[in-house]
Coordinates of all heavy atoms in Angstrom, one line a residue:
M587 N -62.6 -26.0 -24.2 CA -61.4 -25.5 -24.6 C -60.3 -26.6 -24.7 O -60.2 -27.4 -23.8 CB -60.9 -24.4 -23.7 CG -59.6 -23.7 -24.1 SD -59.4 -22.1 -23.3 CE -58.1 -22.5 -22.1
M588 N -59.5 -26.6 -25.8 CA -58.5 -27.6 -25.9 C -57.3 -27.2 -25.1 O -56.9 -26.0 -24.9 CB -58.1 -27.6 -27.4 CG -59.1 -28.2 -28.3 SD -58.6 -28.3 -30.0 CE -57.1 -29.1 -29.9
G589 N -56.7 -28.2 -24.5 CA -55.5 -28.0 -23.7 C -54.2 -27.8 -24.5 O -54.2 -28.3 -25.7
L590 N -53.3 -27.1 -24.0 CA -52.0 -27.0 -24.7 C -51.1 -28.1 -24.2 O -50.9 -28.3 -23.0 CB -51.3 -25.7 -24.4 CG -52.1 -24.4 -24.9 CD1 -51.5 -23.2 -24.3 CD2 -52.1 -24.4 -26.4
P591 N -50.5 -28.9 -25.1 CA -49.7 -30.0 -24.6 C -48.5 -29.5 -23.8 O -47.8 -28.6 -24.2 CB -49.2 -30.7 -25.9 CG -50.2 -30.2 -27.0 CD -50.7 -28.9 -26.5
G592 N -48.3 -30.1 -22.7 CA -47.1 -29.8 -21.8 C -47.3 -28.6 -20.9 O -46.5 -28.2 -20.2
W593 N -48.5 -28.0 -21.0 CA -48.8 -26.8 -20.2 C -49.7 -27.0 -19.0 O -50.2 -26.1 -18.4 CB -49.4 -25.7 -21.1 CG -48.3 -25.0 -21.9 CD1 -47.7 -25.5 -23.1 CD2 -47.7 -23.7 -21.7 NE1 -46.8 -24.6 -23.5 CE2 -46.8 -23.5 -22.7 CE3 -47.8 -22.8 -20.7 CZ2 -46.0 -22.4 -22.8 CZ3 -47.1 -21.6 -20.8 CH2 -46.1 -21.5 -21.8
D594 N -50.0 -28.3 -18.7 CA -50.9 -28.6 -17.6 C -50.4 -28.2 -16.2 O -51.1 -28.2 -15.3 CB -51.4 -30.0 -17.7 CG -50.2 -31.0 -17.5 OD1 -49.0 -30.6 -17.8 OD2 -50.5 -32.2 -17.2
W595 N -49.1 -27.9 -16.1 CA -48.5 -27.5 -14.8 C -48.7 -26.0 -14.5 O -48.5 -25.6 -13.4 CB -47.0 -27.9 -14.8 CG -46.3 -27.2 -15.9 CD1 -46.0 -27.6 -17.1 CD2 -45.6 -25.9 -15.8 NE1 -45.3 -26.7 -17.9 CE2 -45.1 -25.6 -17.1 CE3 -45.5 -24.9 -14.8 CZ2 -44.4 -24.5 -17.4 CZ3 -44.8 -23.8 -15.1 CH2 -44.3 -23.6 -16.4
V596 N -49.1 -25.2 -15.5 CA -49.2 -23.8 -15.3 C -50.6 -23.6 -14.6 O -51.6 -24.0 -15.1 CB -49.2 -23.0 -16.7 CG1 -49.4 -21.6 -16.5 CG2 -47.8 -23.3 -17.3
I597 N -50.6 -22.9 -13.5 CA -51.7 -22.7 -12.7 C -52.9 -22.1 -13.4 O -54.1 -22.4 -13.1 CB -51.4 -22.0 -11.4 CG1 -52.5 -22.2 -10.3 CG2 -51.2 -20.5 -11.6 CD1 -52.1 -21.8 -8.9
G598 N -52.7 -21.3 -14.4 CA -53.8 -20.6 -15.1 C -54.5 -21.4 -16.2 O -55.5 -21.0 -16.7
F599 N -53.9 -22.6 -16.5 CA -54.5 -23.3 -17.7 C -55.4 -24.5 -17.3 O -56.4 -24.7 -18.0 CB -53.4 -23.8 -18.6 CG -52.8 -22.7 -19.4 CD1 -51.4 -22.4 -19.3 CD2 -53.5 -21.9 -20.2 CE1 -50.8 -21.4 -20.0 CE2 -53.0 -20.8 -20.9 CZ -51.6 -20.6 -20.8
P600 N -55.1 -25.3 -16.3 CA -55.9 -26.5 -16.0 C -57.3 -26.1 -15.5 O -57.5 -25.0 -14.9 CB -55.2 -27.2 -15.0 CG -53.9 -26.6 -14.8 CD -53.9 -25.3 -15.4
P601 N -58.3 -26.9 -15.8 CA -59.6 -26.6 -15.3 C -59.6 -26.9 -13.8 O -58.8 -27.5 -13.3 CB -60.5 -27.6 -16.0 CG -59.6 -28.7 -16.4 CD -58.3 -28.1 -16.7
Y602 N -60.6 -26.3 -13.1 CA -60.7 -26.5 -11.7 C -60.9 -28.0 -11.4 O -61.8 -28.6 -11.9 CB -61.9 -25.7 -11.1 CG -62.0 -25.8 -9.6 CD1 -61.2 -25.0 -8.8 CD2 -63.0 -26.6 -9.0 CE1 -61.2 -25.1 -7.5 CE2 -63.0 -26.6 -7.6 CZ -62.2 -25.9 -6.9 OH -62.3 -25.9 -5.5
S603 N -60.0 -28.5 -10.6 CA -60.0 -30.0 -10.3 C -59.0 -30.2 -9.2 O -58.4 -29.3 -8.6 CB -59.5 -30.8 -11.6 OG -58.1 -30.4 -11.8
D604 N -58.8 -31.5 -8.8 CA -57.9 -31.9 -7.8 C -56.5 -31.4 -8.2 O -55.7 -31.0 -7.4 CB -57.9 -33.4 -7.5 CG -59.1 -33.8 -6.7 OD1 -59.8 -32.9 -6.1 OD2 -59.5 -35.0 -6.8
H605 N -56.1 -31.6 -9.5 CA -54.8 -31.2 -10.0 C -54.6 -29.7 -9.8 O -53.6 -29.3 -9.4 CB -54.7 -31.6 -11.5 CG -53.5 -31.1 -12.1 ND1 -52.2 -31.6 -11.8 CD2 -53.3 -30.2 -13.1 CE1 -51.3 -31.0 -12.6 NE2 -52.0 -30.1 -13.4
W606 N -55.6 -28.9 -10.2 CA -55.5 -27.5 -10.0 C -55.4 -27.1 -8.6 O -54.6 -26.2 -8.2 CB -56.8 -26.8 -10.6 CG -56.7 -25.3 -10.5 CD1 -56.2 -24.4 -11.4 CD2 -57.2 -24.5 -9.4 NE1 -56.3 -23.2 -11.0 CE2 -56.9 -23.1 -9.7 CE3 -57.9 -24.8 -8.2 CZ2 -57.3 -22.1 -8.9 CZ3 -58.2 -23.7 -7.4 CH2 -57.9 -22.4 -7.7
R607 N -56.1 -27.7 -7.6 CA -56.0 -27.4 -6.2 C -54.6 -27.7 -5.7 O -54.0 -27.0 -4.9 CB -57.0 -28.2 -5.4 CG -58.4 -27.5 -5.6 CD -59.4 -28.1 -4.6 NE -59.8 -29.5 -4.9 CZ -60.7 -29.9 -5.8 NH1 -61.3 -29.0 -6.5 NH2 -60.9 -31.1 -5.9
R608 N -53.9 -28.8 -6.2 CA -52.6 -29.2 -5.8 C -51.6 -28.1 -6.3 O -50.7 -27.7 -5.5 CB -52.2 -30.5 -6.3 CG -52.7 -31.7 -5.5 CD -52.1 -33.0 -5.9 NE -52.1 -33.3 -7.3 CZ -53.2 -33.9 -7.9 NH1 -54.2 -34.3 -7.2 NH2 -53.1 -34.1 -9.2
L609 N -51.8 -27.6 -7.5 CA -50.9 -26.6 -8.0 C -51.0 -25.3 -7.2 O -50.1 -24.6 -6.9 CB -51.3 -26.3 -9.5 CG -50.8 -27.3 -10.5 CD1 -51.4 -26.9 -11.9 CD2 -49.3 -27.4 -10.6
R610 N -52.3 -24.9 -6.9 CA -52.5 -23.7 -6.2 C -51.9 -23.8 -4.8 O -51.3 -22.9 -4.3 CB -54.0 -23.4 -6.1 CG -54.2 -22.0 -5.5 CD -55.7 -21.7 -5.3 NE -55.9 -20.4 -4.7 CZ -55.5 -20.1 -3.5 NH1 -55.0 -20.9 -2.7 NH2 -55.8 -18.8 -3.0
K611 N -52.1 -25.0 -4.1 CA -51.5 -25.1 -2.8 C -50.0 -25.0 -2.8 O -49.4 -24.4 -2.0 CB -51.9 -26.5 -2.3 CG -51.4 -26.8 -0.9 CD -51.9 -28.1 -0.4 CE -51.4 -28.4 1.1 NZ -51.8 -29.7 1.6
M612 N -49.4 -25.6 -3.8 CA -47.9 -25.5 -4.0 C -47.5 -24.1 -4.2 O -46.5 -23.6 -3.6 CB -47.4 -26.4 -5.1 CG -45.9 -26.5 -5.2 SD -45.3 -27.8 -6.4 CE -46.4 -27.6 -7.8
F613 N -48.2 -23.4 -5.1 CA -47.9 -22.0 -5.4 C -48.0 -21.1 -4.1 O -47.1 -20.3 -3.8 CB -48.9 -21.5 -6.5 CG -48.6 -20.0 -6.8 CD1 -47.7 -19.7 -7.7 CD2 -49.4 -19.0 -6.2 CE1 -47.5 -18.3 -8.1 CE2 -49.2 -17.7 -6.5 CZ -48.2 -17.4 -7.5
H614 N -49.1 -21.3 -3.4 CA -49.3 -20.6 -2.2 C -48.2 -20.8 -1.1 O -47.7 -19.9 -0.5 CB -50.7 -20.9 -1.6 CG -51.0 -20.1 -0.4 ND1 -51.3 -18.8 -0.4 CD2 -51.0 -20.5 0.9 CE1 -51.5 -18.3 0.8 NE2 -51.3 -19.3 1.7
Q615 N -47.8 -22.1 -1.1 CA -46.7 -22.4 -0.1 C -45.4 -21.7 -0.3 O -44.8 -21.2 0.6 CB -46.5 -23.9 -0.2 CG -45.4 -24.5 0.7 CD -45.1 -25.9 0.5 OE1 -45.8 -26.6 -0.3 NE2 -44.1 -26.5 1.1
Y616 N -45.1 -21.5 -1.6 CA -43.8 -20.8 -1.9 C -43.9 -19.3 -2.1 O -42.8 -18.7 -2.1 CB -43.1 -21.5 -3.1 CG -42.7 -22.9 -2.7 CD1 -43.4 -24.0 -3.2 CD2 -41.6 -23.1 -2.0 CE1 -43.0 -25.3 -2.8 CE2 -41.2 -24.4 -1.6 CZ -41.9 -25.5 -2.1 OH -41.5 -26.8 -1.7
F617 N -45.0 -18.8 -2.4 CA -45.2 -17.4 -2.7 C -46.1 -16.6 -1.8 O -46.5 -15.5 -2.2 CB -45.6 -17.2 -4.2 CG -44.5 -17.7 -5.2 CD1 -44.6 -18.9 -5.8 CD2 -43.4 -16.9 -5.4 CE1 -43.6 -19.3 -6.6 CE2 -42.5 -17.3 -6.3 CZ -42.5 -18.5 -6.9
Q618 N -46.4 -17.1 -0.7 CA -47.1 -16.3 0.3 C -46.2 -15.3 1.0 O -45.0 -15.4 0.9 CB -47.8 -17.2 1.3 CG -46.8 -18.0 2.2 CD -47.5 -18.9 3.1 OE1 -48.4 -18.4 3.8 NE2 -47.2 -20.1 3.2
Q619 N -46.8 -14.4 1.7 CA -46.0 -13.3 2.3 C -45.0 -13.8 3.3 O -43.9 -13.3 3.3 CB -47.0 -12.3 3.0 CG -46.3 -11.1 3.5 CD -47.3 -10.1 4.1 OE1 -48.5 -10.3 4.1 NE2 -46.8 -9.0 4.6
R620 N -45.3 -14.8 4.0 CA -44.3 -15.3 5.0 C -43.1 -16.0 4.3 O -42.1 -16.2 5.0 CB -45.0 -16.4 5.9 CG -46.0 -15.7 6.9 CD -46.6 -16.8 7.7 NE -47.4 -17.7 6.9 CZ -48.2 -18.6 7.3 NH1 -48.3 -18.8 8.6 NH2 -48.8 -19.4 6.5
A621 N -43.2 -16.4 3.1 CA -42.1 -17.0 2.4 C -41.1 -15.9 1.9 O -39.9 -16.3 1.6 CB -42.6 -17.8 1.2
G622 N -41.4 -14.7 1.9 CA -40.5 -13.6 1.4 C -39.2 -13.5 2.1 O -38.2 -13.4 1.4
P623 N -39.1 -13.6 3.4 CA -37.7 -13.5 4.0 C -36.8 -14.6 3.5 O -35.6 -14.4 3.5 CB -38.0 -13.7 5.5 CG -39.4 -13.1 5.7 CD -40.1 -13.6 4.4
K624 N -37.3 -15.7 3.1 CA -36.4 -16.8 2.6 C -35.7 -16.4 1.4 O -34.6 -16.8 1.1 CB -37.3 -18.0 2.3 CG -36.6 -19.2 1.8 CD -37.5 -20.4 1.7 CE -38.4 -20.4 0.6 NZ -39.1 -21.7 0.4
Y625 N -36.2 -15.4 0.6 CA -35.6 -15.0 -0.6 C -34.8 -13.7 -0.5 O -34.2 -13.2 -1.4 CB -36.7 -14.8 -1.7 CG -37.6 -16.0 -1.9 CD1 -38.9 -16.0 -1.7 CD2 -37.0 -17.2 -2.3 CE1 -39.7 -17.1 -1.9 CE2 -37.8 -18.4 -2.5 CZ -39.1 -18.3 -2.3 OH -39.9 -19.4 -2.5
H626 N -34.9 -13.1 0.7 CA -34.3 -11.8 0.9 C -32.8 -11.7 0.5 O -32.3 -10.8 -0.2 CB -34.6 -11.3 2.3 CG -34.1 -9.9 2.5 ND1 -32.9 -9.6 3.1 CD2 -34.7 -8.7 2.3 CE1 -32.7 -8.3 3.2 NE2 -33.8 -7.7 2.7
E627 N -32.0 -12.7 1.1 CA -30.6 -12.7 0.8 C -30.3 -12.8 -0.7 O -29.4 -12.1 -1.2 CB -29.9 -13.8 1.6 CG -28.4 -13.8 1.4 CD -27.7 -14.9 2.2 OE1 -28.4 -15.5 3.1 OE2 -26.6 -15.2 1.9
Y628 N -31.0 -13.7 -1.4 CA -30.8 -13.8 -2.8 C -31.1 -12.6 -3.6 O -30.3 -12.1 -4.5 CB -31.5 -15.0 -3.4 CG -31.2 -15.3 -4.8 CD1 -30.1 -15.9 -5.2 CD2 -32.1 -14.8 -5.8 CE1 -29.8 -16.1 -6.5 CE2 -31.8 -14.9 -7.2 CZ -30.6 -15.6 -7.5 OH -30.3 -15.8 -8.8
I629 N -32.2 -12.0 -3.3 CA -32.7 -10.7 -4.0 C -31.7 -9.6 -3.7 O -31.3 -8.9 -4.6 CB -34.1 -10.3 -3.5 CG1 -35.1 -11.4 -3.9 CG2 -34.4 -9.0 -4.1 CD1 -35.3 -11.5 -5.4
T630 N -31.2 -9.5 -2.5 CA -30.2 -8.5 -2.1 C -28.9 -8.7 -2.9 O -28.3 -7.8 -3.5 CB -29.9 -8.5 -0.6 OG1 -31.1 -8.3 0.1 CG2 -28.9 -7.5 -0.2
Q631 N -28.4 -9.9 -2.9 CA -27.2 -10.2 -3.6 C -27.3 -9.9 -5.1 O -26.4 -9.3 -5.7 CB -26.8 -11.7 -3.4 CG -25.6 -12.2 -4.1 CD -25.3 -13.6 -3.9 OE1 -26.2 -14.4 -3.4 NE2 -24.1 -14.1 -4.3
T632 N -28.4 -10.4 -5.8 CA -28.5 -10.1 -7.2 C -28.8 -8.7 -7.5 O -28.3 -8.2 -8.5 CB -29.7 -11.0 -7.8 OG1 -30.9 -10.7 -7.1 CG2 -29.4 -12.5 -7.8
S633 N -29.4 -8.0 -6.6 CA -29.6 -6.5 -6.8 C -28.3 -5.8 -6.7 O -28.1 -4.8 -7.5 CB -30.6 -6.0 -5.7 OG -31.9 -6.6 -5.9
Q634 N -27.5 -6.1 -5.8 CA -26.2 -5.5 -5.7 C -25.3 -5.7 -6.9 O -24.7 -4.8 -7.4 CB -25.4 -6.0 -4.4 CG -26.1 -5.5 -3.1 CD -25.5 -6.1 -1.9 OE1 -24.8 -7.1 -2.0 NE2 -25.8 -5.6 -0.7
T635 N -25.4 -6.9 -7.4 CA -24.6 -7.3 -8.6 C -25.2 -6.5 -9.8 O -24.4 -5.9 -10.6 CB -24.7 -8.8 -8.9 OG1 -24.2 -9.5 -7.8 CG2 -23.9 -9.1 -10.2
F636 N -26.5 -6.4 -9.9 CA -27.1 -5.6 -11.0 C -26.7 -4.2 -10.9 O -26.3 -3.6 -12.0 CB -28.7 -5.7 -10.9 CG -29.4 -4.7 -11.7 CD1 -29.4 -4.8 -13.1 CD2 -30.1 -3.7 -11.1 CE1 -30.1 -3.9 -13.9 CE2 -30.8 -2.8 -11.9 CZ -30.8 -2.9 -13.3
V637 N -26.8 -3.5 -9.8 CA -26.4 -2.1 -9.6 C -24.9 -1.9 -10.0 O -24.5 -1.0 -10.7 CB -26.7 -1.6 -8.2 CG1 -26.2 -0.2 -8.0 CG2 -28.2 -1.6 -8.0
R638 N -24.1 -2.8 -9.5 CA -22.6 -2.7 -9.8 C -22.4 -2.8 -11.3 O -21.7 -2.0 -11.9 CB -21.9 -3.8 -9.0 CG -20.4 -3.7 -9.2 CD -19.6 -4.7 -8.4 NE -20.0 -6.1 -8.6 CZ -20.7 -6.9 -7.8 NH1 -21.1 -6.4 -6.6 NH2 -21.0 -8.1 -8.1
N639 N -23.0 -3.8 -11.9 CA -22.9 -4.0 -13.4 C -23.4 -2.8 -14.2 O -22.9 -2.3 -15.2 CB -23.5 -5.2 -13.9 CG -22.8 -6.5 -13.4 OD1 -21.6 -6.4 -13.1 ND2 -23.5 -7.6 -13.4
L640 N -24.5 -2.2 -13.7 CA -25.1 -1.1 -14.3 C -24.2 0.2 -14.2 O -24.1 1.0 -15.1 CB -26.5 -0.8 -13.7 CG -27.4 0.2 -14.4 CD1 -27.6 -0.1 -15.9 CD2 -28.7 0.4 -13.7
F641 N -23.6 0.3 -13.0 CA -22.7 1.4 -12.8 C -21.5 1.3 -13.8 O -21.0 2.3 -14.3 CB -22.3 1.4 -11.3 CG -21.4 2.6 -11.0 CD1 -21.9 3.9 -10.9 CD2 -20.0 2.4 -10.8 CE1 -21.0 4.9 -10.6 CE2 -19.2 3.4 -10.5 CZ -19.7 4.7 -10.4
E642 N -21.0 0.1 -14.0 CA -19.9 -0.1 -14.8 C -20.2 0.1 -16.3 O -19.3 0.5 -17.1 CB -19.3 -1.5 -14.6 CG -18.7 -1.7 -13.3 CD -18.3 -3.1 -13.0 OE1 -18.5 -4.0 -13.8 OE2 -17.8 -3.4 -11.9
A643 N -21.4 -0.2 -16.7 CA -21.8 0.0 -18.1 C -23.2 0.4 -18.2 O -24.1 -0.4 -18.6 CB -21.6 -1.4 -18.8
P644 N -23.5 1.7 -18.0 CA -24.9 2.2 -18.0 C -25.6 2.1 -19.4 O -26.8 2.0 -19.5 CB -24.8 3.6 -17.5 CG -23.4 4.0 -17.6 CD -22.6 2.7 -17.6
E645 N -24.8 2.1 -20.4 CA -25.3 2.0 -21.8 C -25.9 0.6 -22.0 O -26.7 0.4 -23.0 CB -24.3 2.3 -22.8 CG -23.1 1.3 -22.9 CD -22.0 1.5 -21.9 OE1 -22.1 2.4 -21.1 OE2 -21.1 0.6 -21.9
E646 N -25.6 -0.3 -21.2 CA -26.2 -1.7 -21.3 C -27.4 -1.9 -20.4 O -27.7 -3.0 -20.0 CB -25.1 -2.7 -21.0 CG -24.0 -2.7 -22.0 CD -22.9 -3.7 -21.7 OE1 -23.2 -4.7 -20.9 OE2 -21.8 -3.6 -22.2
F647 N -28.1 -0.8 -20.1 CA -29.2 -0.9 -19.2 C -30.3 -2.0 -19.6 O -30.7 -2.8 -18.8 CB -29.9 0.4 -19.0 CG -31.2 0.3 -18.2 CD1 -31.1 0.3 -16.8 CD2 -32.4 0.3 -18.7 CE1 -32.2 0.2 -16.0 CE2 -33.6 0.2 -18.0 CZ -33.4 0.2 -16.6
K648 N -30.7 -2.0 -20.8 CA -31.7 -2.9 -21.3 C -31.3 -4.4 -21.1 O -32.1 -5.1 -20.5 CB -32.1 -2.6 -22.8 CG -33.2 -3.5 -23.2 CD -33.6 -3.2 -24.7 CE -34.7 -4.1 -25.1 NZ -35.1 -3.8 -26.5
S649 N -30.1 -4.7 -21.5 CA -29.7 -6.1 -21.4 C -29.5 -6.5 -19.9 O -29.7 -7.6 -19.5 CB -28.4 -6.4 -22.2 OG -27.3 -5.7 -21.7
R650 N -29.0 -5.5 -19.1 CA -28.8 -5.7 -17.7 C -30.1 -6.0 -16.9 O -30.2 -6.9 -16.1 CB -28.0 -4.6 -17.0 CG -26.6 -4.3 -17.5 CD -25.7 -5.5 -17.1 NE -24.4 -5.1 -17.5 CZ -23.3 -5.9 -17.4 NH1 -23.5 -7.2 -17.0 NH2 -22.2 -5.5 -17.8
I651 N -31.1 -5.2 -17.2 CA -32.4 -5.4 -16.5 C -33.1 -6.7 -17.0 O -33.7 -7.4 -16.2 CB -33.3 -4.1 -16.7 CG1 -34.5 -4.2 -15.7 CG2 -33.9 -4.1 -18.1 CD1 -34.1 -3.8 -14.4
Q652 N -32.9 -7.0 -18.2 CA -33.4 -8.3 -18.7 C -32.7 -9.5 -18.0 O -33.4 -10.4 -17.6 CB -33.3 -8.4 -20.2 CG -34.2 -7.5 -21.0 CD -33.9 -7.5 -22.5 OE1 -32.8 -7.8 -22.9 NE2 -34.9 -7.1 -23.3
N653 N -31.4 -9.4 -17.9 CA -30.6 -10.4 -17.3 C -31.0 -10.5 -15.8 O -31.2 -11.6 -15.3 CB -29.1 -10.1 -17.5 CG -28.3 -11.3 -17.2 OD1 -28.7 -12.3 -16.6 ND2 -27.1 -11.3 -17.8
Y654 N -31.1 -9.4 -15.1 CA -31.4 -9.4 -13.7 C -32.8 -10.0 -13.5 O -32.9 -10.9 -12.6 CB -31.4 -8.0 -13.2 CG -32.0 -7.8 -11.8 CD1 -31.3 -8.3 -10.7 CD2 -33.2 -7.3 -11.6 CE1 -31.8 -8.2 -9.4 CE2 -33.8 -7.2 -10.3 CZ -33.0 -7.6 -9.2 OH -33.6 -7.6 -8.0
S655 N -33.8 -9.6 -14.2 CA -35.1 -10.1 -13.9 C -35.2 -11.6 -14.3 O -35.8 -12.4 -13.6 CB -36.2 -9.3 -14.7 OG -35.9 -9.3 -16.1
G656 N -34.5 -12.0 -15.3 CA -34.5 -13.4 -15.7 C -33.8 -14.3 -14.6 O -34.3 -15.4 -14.3
T657 N -32.7 -13.7 -14.1 CA -32.0 -14.4 -13.1 C -32.9 -14.7 -11.8 O -32.9 -15.8 -11.3 CB -30.7 -13.6 -12.7 OG1 -29.9 -13.5 -13.8 CG2 -30.0 -14.3 -11.5
V658 N -33.6 -13.6 -11.4 CA -34.4 -13.8 -10.2 C -35.6 -14.7 -10.5 O -35.9 -15.6 -9.7 CB -35.0 -12.4 -9.8 CG1 -36.0 -12.5 -8.7 CG2 -33.8 -11.5 -9.3
V659 N -36.2 -14.6 -11.6 CA -37.3 -15.5 -12.0 C -36.9 -17.0 -12.0 O -37.5 -17.9 -11.5 CB -38.0 -15.1 -13.3 CG1 -39.0 -16.2 -13.8 CG2 -38.7 -13.8 -13.1
L660 N -35.8 -17.2 -12.7 CA -35.3 -18.6 -12.8 C -34.9 -19.2 -11.4 O -35.2 -20.3 -11.1 CB -34.0 -18.7 -13.6 CG -34.3 -18.6 -15.1 CD1 -32.9 -18.5 -15.9 CD2 -35.1 -19.8 -15.6
H661 N -34.4 -18.3 -10.5 CA -34.0 -18.8 -9.2 C -35.3 -19.1 -8.3 O -35.4 -20.1 -7.7 CB -33.1 -17.8 -8.5 CG -32.8 -18.3 -7.1 ND1 -31.8 -19.3 -6.9 CD2 -33.2 -17.9 -5.9 CE1 -31.7 -19.5 -5.6 NE2 -32.5 -18.7 -5.0
L662 N -36.2 -18.1 -8.3 CA -37.4 -18.3 -7.5 C -38.3 -19.4 -8.1 O -39.0 -20.1 -7.3 CB -38.2 -17.0 -7.4 CG -37.4 -15.8 -6.7 CD1 -38.3 -14.6 -6.7 CD2 -37.0 -16.2 -5.4
S663 N -38.4 -19.6 -9.4 CA -39.3 -20.5 -10.0 C -38.7 -22.0 -10.0 O -39.4 -22.9 -9.7 CB -39.6 -20.2 -11.4 OG -40.3 -18.9 -11.4
Y664 N -37.4 -22.1 -10.3 CA -36.8 -23.4 -10.5 C -35.6 -23.7 -9.6 O -35.1 -24.8 -9.7 CB -36.4 -23.5 -12.0 CG -37.5 -23.3 -13.0 CD1 -37.6 -22.1 -13.7 CD2 -38.5 -24.2 -13.1 CE1 -38.7 -21.9 -14.6 CE2 -39.6 -24.0 -14.0 CZ -39.6 -22.9 -14.7 OH -40.7 -22.7 -15.6
G665 N -35.2 -22.7 -8.8 CA -34.0 -23.0 -8.0 C -32.7 -22.9 -8.7 O -31.7 -23.2 -8.1
Y666 N -32.7 -22.5 -10.0 CA -31.5 -22.3 -10.7 C -30.7 -21.1 -10.3 O -31.2 -20.0 -10.2 CB -31.8 -22.2 -12.2 CG -30.6 -22.1 -13.1 CD1 -29.7 -23.2 -13.3 CD2 -30.2 -20.9 -13.6 CE1 -28.6 -23.0 -14.1 CE2 -29.1 -20.7 -14.4 CZ -28.3 -21.8 -14.7 OH -27.2 -21.7 -15.4
N667 N -29.5 -21.3 -9.8 CA -28.7 -20.2 -9.3 C -27.7 -19.7 -10.4 O -26.6 -20.2 -10.5 CB -27.9 -20.6 -8.1 CG -27.4 -19.4 -7.3 OD1 -27.3 -18.3 -7.9 ND2 -27.1 -19.6 -6.0
F668 N -28.1 -18.7 -11.2 CA -27.4 -18.2 -12.2 C -26.0 -17.6 -11.7 O -25.0 -17.7 -12.4 CB -28.2 -17.1 -13.0 CG -27.6 -16.6 -14.2 CD1 -27.6 -17.4 -15.4 CD2 -26.9 -15.4 -14.3 CE1 -27.1 -16.9 -16.6 CE2 -26.3 -15.0 -15.4 CZ -26.4 -15.7 -16.6
L669 N -26.1 -17.0 -10.6 CA -24.9 -16.3 -10.0 C -23.8 -17.4 -9.8 O -22.6 -17.1 -10.1 CB -25.2 -15.6 -8.7 CG -26.0 -14.3 -8.9 CD1 -26.3 -13.8 -7.5 CD2 -25.2 -13.3 -9.7
Q670 N -24.1 -18.5 -9.2 CA -23.1 -19.5 -9.0 C -22.6 -20.1 -10.3 O -21.4 -20.5 -10.4 CB -23.6 -20.6 -8.1 CG -23.8 -20.2 -6.7 CD -24.3 -21.3 -5.8 OE1 -24.8 -22.4 -6.3 NE2 -24.3 -21.1 -4.5
Q671 N -23.4 -20.2 -11.3 CA -23.0 -20.8 -12.5 C -22.1 -19.9 -13.4 O -21.2 -20.4 -14.0 CB -24.3 -21.2 -13.4 CG -25.2 -22.2 -12.8 CD -24.5 -23.6 -12.7 OE1 -23.7 -24.0 -13.5 NE2 -24.8 -24.3 -11.6
N672 N -22.4 -18.6 -13.3 CA -21.8 -17.7 -14.3 C -21.0 -16.6 -13.6 O -20.4 -15.8 -14.3 CB -22.8 -17.1 -15.2 CG -23.5 -18.2 -16.0 OD1 -22.8 -18.9 -16.8 ND2 -24.8 -18.3 -15.9
G673 N -21.1 -16.4 -12.3 CA -20.2 -15.4 -11.6 C -20.9 -14.1 -11.5 O -20.5 -13.3 -10.6
D674 N -21.8 -13.7 -12.4 CA -22.5 -12.4 -12.2 C -23.8 -12.4 -13.0 O -24.1 -13.4 -13.7 CB -21.6 -11.2 -12.5 CG -21.4 -11.1 -14.0 OD1 -21.9 -11.8 -14.8 OD2 -20.7 -10.1 -14.4
T675 N -24.5 -11.3 -12.9 CA -25.7 -11.2 -13.7 C -25.6 -10.1 -14.8 O -25.0 -9.1 -14.6 CB -27.0 -10.8 -12.8 OG1 -26.7 -9.6 -12.2 CG2 -27.3 -11.9 -11.8

């Protein structure tokens, strides 16, 4: 199978190798069950902001849920804190 340029960091794409084992070890380190409490405060804060924004404008549910999920994924995956940059979700 041909590789996708620039996608060798995604755990599902590289063939089984030392590189794949390093990716899996790193993934496991940050996403195992014991790592959950580390993210609790951030998830709580973004969830509260999401609910407050949804209460203020329920007709914007679709964009709010997309924004909320994207905010959480960006923070957990890359450490980007959307709340600090933009003030809300």
Side-chain angles (χ1 to χ4, degrees):
M587 179 161 111
M588 292 179 52
L590 296 172
W593 284 76
D594 59 342
W595 59 271
V596 178
I597 197 167
F599 289 122
Y602 185 76
S603 63
D604 288 337
H605 174 69
W606 182 87
R607 284 191 291 280
R608 282 192 305 274
L609 287 174
R610 187 184 182 291
K611 182 178 180 181
M612 187 171 41
F613 179 84
H614 181 72
Q615 177 182 354
Y616 292 103
F617 291 101
Q618 62 179 311
Q619 187 174 0
R620 289 181 296 189
K624 179 170 78 171
Y625 306 119
H626 186 263
E627 183 179 342
Y628 183 80
I629 297 294
T630 301
Q631 182 183 9
T632 55
S633 297
Q634 289 171 347
T635 302
F636 166 70
V637 170
R638 184 175 55 251
N639 289 339
L640 189 58
F641 183 74
E642 292 171 0
E645 67 279 358
E646 295 180 16
F647 175 77
K648 184 177 179 182
S649 65
R650 296 293 187 186
I651 195 75
Q652 290 171 338
N653 198 339
Y654 169 74
S655 58
T657 297
V658 172
V659 168
L660 284 173
H661 180 75
L662 297 182
S663 300
Y664 303 106
Y666 179 76
N667 195 341
F668 188 81
L669 288 176
Q670 287 181 347
Q671 297 293 326
N672 298 300
D674 74 0
T675 57

